[in-house]
Amino acid sequence: MLVLESDEATQYRDLVNIVENQRLVDIVQNIVYEANKYFEGKVNAKLNLTLLDHLNFALERQKNNIIMNYPFLGELKFIYPKEYEFSRKAYEYLNAELKDFTKFDEAELGFLVLHIHAAVTDAKVSKVLMNNEIMYKCAEILESNMNEKIDRNSIYYSRFTKHLEYAIQRYKNGIKLQNILLTSIKETCKEDYKIALEINSFLKGKYHIDLDENEIGYLTLHIYNLRNRKNQY
C-alpha cells in the first residue's frame, strides 16, 4: 500500500473502522495497487482514502435505493482515455467482487475515472469534475452551432478538448501566450472565431474564466479543424 501522510493515515484508520463491508477495504487496496503499476508510480497515496470513502458512501446509497446519475460519462472516455480504460477494468473487478452483495451502475464508472485522474494528476476530484462538465457543455455549444453531433473519436475533438483544458490551466496560473496569427485567424475563420467567443462567454458567465484574445484565437483554429476535418494545426 502507498504511504499516507500522518493525518491522512489517521483518517484512513478511522474510515476503515466504520466501513460496513470490510471486503471493500481489500478491494480498494487492490485497485490502488494496480493503478500505481498501470500509471507507473504516479498515483497519489491519498487515493486509498478518497476511493474507500467514496465507495463506502456509494454502498450506503445503494442500500437506501438512492440513485446517483453522472451525465458526463461519455465525455470522460475521450478526455481521459487511459484513466477510463483502467477504471473500466476496476469497475468490472469491483462488481465481480461484490456480486453477492450489490451491483454498481454505470454512473459509478464515471466517479471511478474522476478519482483515478485526480490521483494521477494530484488534483482535487472537484476540479476534475468541473473540467469534465466544462468540456461537456462546450461540446454542446459546438454541436448547436454545427447542427450535428461531434465525432468524439476524432483526433480533432481530442485536440480541441486538450487545448481548452490547458488554456483554462494557463488562465488560472496567469500564463499568457502570444498569437502572431490572431489577425489572420479572425479574418479567415470568422464563424469559428464567433463560436470561440461564445464558448468564452459561457466560461466567463458560469465559471469566471475569461480567456484572452490569443487563447481564443488558438481555440478558433481547433474549432475550424474540427468543423472542417482538416489537419492544419
Side-chain angles (χ1 to χ4, degrees), residues 121-134:
T121 59
D122 205 20
K124 291 183 178 180
V125 174
S126 58
K127 178 183 176 182
V128 180
L129 177 60
M130 186 184 77
N131 283 346
N132 184 213
E133 181 181 329
I134 286 173

Side-chain angles (χ1 to χ4, degrees), residues 199-218:
I199 288 174
N200 189 59
S201 178
F202 161 73
L203 293 174
K204 185 178 179 181
K206 185 163 185 179
Y207 300 101
H208 308 291
I209 297 169
D210 189 12
L211 304 179
D212 63 25
E213 272 202 329
N214 294 295
E215 288 284 11
I216 292 172
Y218 284 120

Side-chain angles (χ1 to χ4, degrees), residues 182 185-200 212-221 223-224 227:
L182 182 60
I185 290 169
K186 290 166 73 172
E187 284 296 317
T188 58
C189 308
K190 292 181 180 179
E191 188 62 31
D192 310 285
Y193 186 73
K194 180 181 176 183
I195 297 172
L197 286 175
E198 184 178 342
I199 288 174
N200 189 59
D212 63 25
E213 272 202 329
N214 294 295
E215 288 284 11
I216 292 172
Y218 284 120
L219 193 61
T220 298
L221 289 176
I223 293 170
Y224 173 82
R227 292 177 70 233

Side-chain angles (χ1 to χ4, degrees), residues 59-73:
L59 284 178
E60 290 183 18
R61 290 199 308 268
Q62 293 270 35
K63 187 170 63 176
N64 293 297
N65 294 317
I66 300 173
I67 306 300
M68 286 283 287
N69 293 318
Y70 190 75
F72 316 122
L73 176 61

Side-chain angles (χ1 to χ4, degrees), residues 5 17 30 45 50 85 93 101 147 152 200 216 228 232:
E5 299 292 334
N17 288 331
N30 289 337
T50 58
E85 181 182 1
Y93 165 71
F101 182 75
N147 292 316
R152 283 164 169 74
N200 189 59
I216 292 172
N228 295 278
Q232 295 184 356

Side-chain angles (χ1 to χ4, degrees), residues 98-227:
L98 295 174
K99 64 182 179 182
D100 296 328
F101 182 75
T102 190
K103 185 182 187 303
F104 290 109
D105 56 28
E106 282 277 303
E108 200 55 50
L109 172 58
F111 293 117
L112 276 172
V113 177
L114 295 178
H115 279 277
I116 295 298
H117 181 73
V120 172
T121 59
D122 205 20
K124 291 183 178 180
V125 174
S126 58
K127 178 183 176 182
V128 180
L129 177 60
M130 186 184 77
N131 283 346
N132 184 213
E133 181 181 329
I134 286 173
M135 300 307 155
Y136 179 84
K137 295 295 185 182
C138 289
E140 284 191 327
I141 292 173
L142 278 172
E143 289 177 334
S144 175
N145 280 276
M146 293 169 63
N147 292 316
E148 62 177 284
K149 287 291 183 181
I150 295 171
D151 178 7
R152 283 164 169 74
N153 287 308
S154 73
I155 186 65
Y156 313 112
Y157 180 68
S158 175
R159 288 172 180 169
F160 166 78
T161 55
K162 285 300 177 187
H163 178 83
L164 183 56
E165 185 175 10
Y166 293 143
I168 291 170
Q169 287 180 12
R170 285 191 290 269
Y171 169 79
K172 291 181 176 179
N173 293 324
I175 300 172
K176 294 184 180 294
L177 297 180
Q178 292 298 314
N179 189 342
I180 61 173
L181 300 174
L182 182 60
T183 301
S184 175
I185 290 169
K186 290 166 73 172
E187 284 296 317
T188 58
C189 308
K190 292 181 180 179
E191 188 62 31
D192 310 285
Y193 186 73
K194 180 181 176 183
I195 297 172
L197 286 175
E198 184 178 342
I199 288 174
N200 189 59
S201 178
F202 161 73
L203 293 174
K204 185 178 179 181
K206 185 163 185 179
Y207 300 101
H208 308 291
I209 297 169
D210 189 12
L211 304 179
D212 63 25
E213 272 202 329
N214 294 295
E215 288 284 11
I216 292 172
Y218 284 120
L219 193 61
T220 298
L221 289 176
H222 285 289
I223 293 170
Y224 173 82
N225 292 336
L226 182 60
R227 292 177 70 233

